[in-house]
Amino acid sequence: MAHHREDVVRTALAVLDTHGLADLTMRRLAAELDVRPSALYHHVPSKQVLLAAVADEVLRRGPRPDVVGPAGAWPARLVDVAGCLREALLAYRDAAELVSTVVAFGLGADRPYADLVAVLDDAGLPDGLTPTAARTLLHFVLGHTLDEQTHLQAGAAGAIADAPRPGSDFAVGLGLVVDGIALRASVGRPGTPVRVEVDDRP
């Protein structure tokens, strides 16, 4: 049976969710599709390109944040972008590790960063700080979610004796980061820094 690139990416995502990132190999993927490993290279030129495509698919399937809105509501929109990214990552096993790797290698998964920059353009940050603020938020979400997924999976596999964590401090940590950005945005302007309230997402 002939396969299309979409079939390859969809099956790779299923392998990721079932077996984890370490077992997402070209050989296993080929076996799932009942083709020779060499046949996959007609659709993706390398393992790295495959991982980037799977990361983009994870993000595509996740909720779409509200990027456009009133300029004064940019802190709430930052929270929305970050929360939607976390939700997308938590939907699939090892998705935070996958997207972190792809972002670090500069191979793709760039939609969340672009969304953060689009929102931060309304914040009035001093020159040059918008890219750094966007990367800081992105790293916080990826790192926090990676920690959550790793701890949960290690506990489920019996690798650690820790009980499941009673809750997540993601919302509190996100609020701290966004408050810091709001403080920088308020420097040199009248008024007081924005205090951001965020929902405590589970």
Side-chain angles (χ1 to χ4, degrees), residues 4 21 31 37 60 84 98 106 146 149:
H4 300 286
L21 183 58
R60 188 190 69 80
C84 287
L98 169 67
L146 176 58
Q149 286 191 317

Side-chain angles (χ1 to χ4, degrees), residues 2-201:
H3 295 288
H4 300 286
R5 190 176 191 273
E6 292 78 11
D7 302 320
V8 174
V9 173
R10 184 172 58 250
T11 303
L13 181 55
V15 171
L16 172 76
D17 203 32
T18 302
H19 302 287
L21 183 58
D23 287 330
L24 178 50
T25 64
M26 300 299 269
R27 185 176 299 277
R28 181 183 285 275
L29 180 56
E32 292 286 338
L33 291 166
D34 195 26
V35 299
R36 293 177 181 272
S38 59
L40 296 176
Y41 294 99
H42 293 293
H43 305 287
V44 287
S46 67
K47 169 73 174 293
Q48 289 73 25
V49 171
L50 172 68
L51 294 180
V54 176
D56 285 335
E57 181 67 10
V58 167
L59 297 175
R60 188 190 69 80
R61 294 186 180 195
R64 190 76 180 104
D66 180 14
V67 177
V68 180
W74 65 264
R77 285 186 280 135
L78 280 185
V79 170
D80 189 35
V81 173
C84 287
L85 173 57
R86 176 173 177 261
E87 188 174 338
L89 298 176
L90 288 176
Y92 297 96
R93 179 176 176 178
D94 289 345
E97 182 180 358
L98 169 67
V99 173
S100 296
T101 300
V102 169
V103 168
F105 288 174
L107 296 174
D110 52 3
R111 192 190 79 188
Y113 174 78
D115 286 345
L116 291 168
V117 169
V119 174
L120 285 165
D121 281 342
D122 288 338
L125 285 168
D127 290 346
L129 276 187
T130 291
T132 300
R135 284 194 298 270
T136 299
L137 274 164
L138 182 62
H139 294 160
F140 169 76
V141 179
L142 292 175
H144 196 288
T145 311
L146 176 58
D147 174 77
E148 289 183 280
Q149 286 191 317
T150 301
H151 186 274
L152 181 63
Q153 291 166 13
I160 58 175
D162 292 6
R165 291 170 178 169
S168 173
D169 62 357
F170 176 80
V172 176
L174 177 60
L176 291 173
V177 177
V178 176
D179 279 353
I181 294 171
L183 179 62
R184 283 299 187 98
S186 71
V187 172
R189 296 185 309 183
T192 58
V194 179
R195 179 66 178 91
V196 180
E197 298 293 338
V198 297
D199 293 334
D200 190 5
R201 295 174 184 254

